[in-house]
Amino acid sequence: MSVAGGVDRAPARAAEIGAVVFQIFTKQPNRWAEPTLTDDVAGRFRAEAARISAAFTTSHDSYLINLASPDPGLWRRSTDCFRGEVERAALLDLDAVVTHPGNATDGDREGGIERNAEAITETLAAVPGRTRILLELTAGAGTSVGGSFEELAAIVKAIPEPHRSRVGVCIDTCHAWVAGYDLVGDFAGVWMHLDDTLGVGRVELFHLNDARTPFGSRLDRHENIGEGTIGLEPFRRLMTETRFRSVPKILETPKGEDGVTADRMNLQLLRGLRLERGQ
């Protein structure tokens, strides 16, 4: 949801499209500049979220953050910025912060995994509260970390308790498809693999997006539901999958010229798929 005019405007915009689950940015995602979130604005956000009976609220961290960076200066700047993200989320009483695991630009993926875990551990130790960290499955391009269930599991495992108990994962359907998880030909097998590596209980959020690019391409290009290379059937199955019935789901589909109309279209389609089976 747009936060134009202030983050406290987002809940009303969610209500406008009939959503009680929504995601925001708490800062400009392509800038390092850290905003000051006042108690008044945060209070209005919390009041508005309560007014619309929001069921799940999350933010997505800045695209500049790279917790896997081998460069000490960039890693420190990223970790400090990430801490700011979690502090703002806690002030807004968000349920979670979604984060991309970043890029191990030196090619040392194991090192990138360790650096991720260290940054997340440091942040959770510094920012107590209920807000959770959700590692997002990536498309797996280049030196990107987190493009497989195994790498997400390795990050989670490297975070010590009690902080590990505040960490889950976000599965983006477009990312999964282009990373090589065959939601079309082996839907059940994908989730069996996830259960074997992470455990399905670790999945706390879905980003539901079709893909403009082919299966296994590792190119992250989102498309409207049912209009891309994934097609409608995997979304029908996901919307009626008992294990994921209560897991929050968020759209990151194209907005076009009229974001409200586009969002309503995708929401209506997904809700219709669920209603087909009386759920």
Side-chain angles (χ1 to χ4, degrees):
M1 300 311 304
S2 168
V3 293
V7 294
D8 53 311
R9 307 285 185 88
R13 290 177 178 133
E16 184 180 1
I17 63 169
V20 293
V21 172
F22 64 91
Q23 176 175 276
I24 61 172
F25 287 105
T26 63
K27 62 172 286 182
Q28 292 185 352
N30 293 310
R31 295 185 61 189
W32 285 111
E34 290 291 303
T36 299
L37 183 60
T38 66
D39 289 337
D40 286 346
V41 170
R44 287 198 296 272
F45 177 94
R46 295 192 299 267
E48 280 290 282
R51 182 184 67 81
I52 71 163
S53 300
F56 185 90
T57 57
T58 183
S59 62
H60 195 299
D61 68 355
S62 167
Y63 297 141
L64 299 180
I65 290 173
N66 185 4
L67 301 183
S69 176
D71 179 282
L74 179 56
W75 183 86
R76 173 43 58 193
R77 189 174 195 181
S78 296
T79 301
D80 290 345
C81 184
F82 183 66
R83 175 174 172 172
E85 297 275 13
V86 179
E87 288 174 339
R88 289 189 296 276
L91 186 58
L92 294 169
D93 196 32
L94 301 184
D95 292 283
V97 175
V98 175
T99 182
H100 291 169
N103 289 273
T105 52
D106 59 352
D108 179 7
R109 307 184 74 82
E110 290 186 4
I113 288 168
E114 292 171 1
R115 290 186 289 270
N116 248 278
E118 181 180 352
I120 292 170
T121 300
E122 178 184 310
T123 298
L124 290 177
V127 188
R130 75 178 192 90
T131 300
R132 303 178 61 73
I133 307 301
L134 303 184
L135 302 169
E136 183 173 353
L137 179 72
T138 69
T143 59
S144 172
V145 174
S148 71
F149 298 155
E150 286 80 6
E151 288 189 348
L152 293 180
I155 296 172
V156 172
K157 184 178 180 180
I159 298 169
E161 292 291 8
H163 307 302
R164 187 188 304 160
S165 62
R166 286 176 65 190
V167 178
V169 299
C170 168
I171 301 298
D172 183 302
T173 51
C174 171
H175 297 176
W177 173 249
V178 300
Y181 291 105
D182 191 357
L183 295 169
V184 175
D186 190 21
F187 184 88
V190 169
W191 307 120
M192 186 179 298
H193 182 189
L194 183 144
D195 197 24
D196 288 343
T197 52
L198 277 159
V200 292
R202 191 70 69 173
V203 180
E204 299 182 26
L205 180 67
F206 280 100
H207 285 169
L208 298 186
N209 308 295
D210 212 321
R212 295 182 183 178
T213 52
F215 172 67
S217 64
R218 299 195 181 277
L219 295 175
D220 179 15
R221 304 288 187 274
H222 295 188
E223 183 54 279
N224 290 312
I225 304 299
E227 297 181 10
T229 57
I230 299 176
L232 201 56
E233 184 58 26
F235 292 101
R236 177 180 286 108
R237 296 185 67 178
L238 190 58
M239 291 301 291
T240 56
E241 172 64 49
T242 303
R243 290 175 296 180
F244 302 131
R245 178 69 177 81
S246 62
V247 177
K249 300 170 183 70
I250 284 173
L251 290 164
E252 292 180 331
T253 42
K255 298 289 189 180
E257 295 182 1
D258 182 355
V260 170
T261 298
D263 284 341
R264 283 176 174 165
M265 176 190 73
N266 283 292
L267 285 171
Q268 183 178 12
L269 178 57
L270 288 168
R271 289 167 176 163
L273 295 177
R274 176 174 285 171
L275 291 172
E276 284 180 7
R277 300 190 184 178
Q279 298 192 24

